[in-house]
Amino acid sequence: ETGVTQSPTHLIKTRGQQVTLRCSSQSGHNTVSWYQQALGQGPQFIFQYYREEENGRGNFPPRFSGLQFPNYSSELNVNAMELDDSALYLCASAEGSGSYNEQFFGPGTRLTVL
Amino acid sequence: AQSVTQPDIHITVSEGASLELRCNYSYGATPYLFWYVQSPGQGLQLLLKYFSGDTLVQGIKGFEAEFKRSQSSFNLRKPSVHWSDAAEYFCAAINFGNEKLTFGTGTRLTIIP
């Protein structure tokens, strides 16, 4: 059984650009959550998808959007990036719905916005 | 507002010494509680969780945590730390039916020989 993987590992973008981050969940995990972790902070919940539908969202603007695919992969899209979007982005997958199920985290994508 | 507080930003402990990391939560009802560990370049790993029942919870790597409702606390303990325990530790909480897992700001643990 493979773990949760994310790509790319690192990314540098310019303010105003758009970015897509990718996550591959563990096989059989129907739930994927995305988190933003700024330097020196704990992860902040962005949103969660269950069976390809968004079923929970944190305090992030609409320019943060996502997709989940039937093959256990998912994407986080950020439009019109701002300097404050620089952070480590984590995805986590879980069996079933609900964040109280054990979440398995990927190593993250380090995004730098210049 | 729902929140999780970890009062200690950084703790230094000698190898072999005991450890206690503090966590307090502010929720309307008792949430589900978790402790995660994050090592450099690695994702967060679940150490243990509390949903209900016995207030002393055993986890992986020799960690345990005690839930105290009267103090709104869920402190993490280990009787004897190893150099490999050096990492960032996060307490987290969630209410049943709410998909938002809320993390504290973390405690960085340094182990000295």
Side-chain angles (χ1 to χ4, degrees):
Chain A
E1 179 182 277
T2 59
V4 178
T5 59
Q6 294 185 242
S7 62
T9 306
H10 296 85
L11 198 55
I12 298 175
K13 289 288 188 177
T14 304
R15 187 174 54 183
Q17 286 187 311
Q18 178 268 341
V19 70
T20 297
L21 308 182
R22 294 180 171 82
C23 172
S24 179
S25 300
Q26 288 191 198
S27 180
H29 285 190
N30 293 318
T31 297
V32 64
S33 303
W34 284 90
Y35 297 85
Q36 180 195 69
Q37 186 177 13
L39 202 61
Q41 299 296 315
Q44 299 288 315
F45 175 75
I46 302 175
F47 45 58
Q48 183 180 91
Y49 280 77
Y50 174 64
R51 291 185 174 175
E52 303 161 49
E53 297 285 334
E54 185 180 296
N55 74 333
R57 191 176 182 91
N59 298 325
F60 281 81
R63 59 189 186 83
F64 285 80
S65 63
L67 286 171
Q68 184 186 26
F69 304 102
N71 65 350
Y72 305 113
S73 67
S74 61
E75 292 179 352
L76 165 65
N77 298 289
V78 185
N79 292 318
M81 281 190 293
E82 301 175 358
L83 298 180
D84 286 348
D85 295 336
S86 295
L88 180 67
Y89 288 85
L90 300 165
C91 77
S93 70
E95 293 183 8
S97 64
S99 295
Y100 44 84
N101 292 307
E102 180 175 355
Q103 298 189 58
F104 294 83
F105 284 80
T109 293
R110 174 73 62 186
L111 174 64
T112 302
V113 183
L114 302 176
Chain B
Q2 298 170 339
S3 65
V4 176
T5 302
Q6 294 180 248
D8 304 305
I9 296 173
H10 185 202
I11 284 182
T12 299
V13 178
S14 298
E15 189 169 15
S18 63
L19 170 71
E20 182 169 26
L21 302 182
R22 296 183 292 166
C23 172
N24 294 96
Y25 62 88
S26 176
Y27 275 69
T30 299
Y32 297 156
L33 295 159
F34 306 81
W35 273 100
Y36 283 86
V37 61
Q38 185 177 38
S39 299
Q42 299 190 21
L44 290 120
Q45 182 182 22
L46 180 67
L47 290 174
L48 46 78
K49 61 187 177 184
Y50 173 77
F51 286 179
S52 64
D54 192 346
T55 57
L56 187 62
V57 181
Q58 301 298 320
I60 62 171
K61 304 185 178 185
F63 286 93
E64 65 178 26
E66 185 172 13
F67 169 68
K68 292 186 178 180
R69 186 189 306 274
S70 62
Q71 299 178 18
S72 298
S73 69
F74 188 56
N75 293 349
L76 182 71
R77 301 195 295 245
K78 187 169 185 177
S80 176
V81 298
H82 186 263
W83 64 266
S84 60
D85 292 326
E88 189 91 21
Y89 291 80
F90 293 95
C91 183
I94 188 170
N95 274 330
F96 181 81
N98 182 337
E99 307 315 319
K100 181 181 177 182
L101 183 62
T102 299
F103 285 84
T105 52
T107 297
R108 183 161 61 94
L109 176 64
T110 298
I111 308 296
I112 56 177

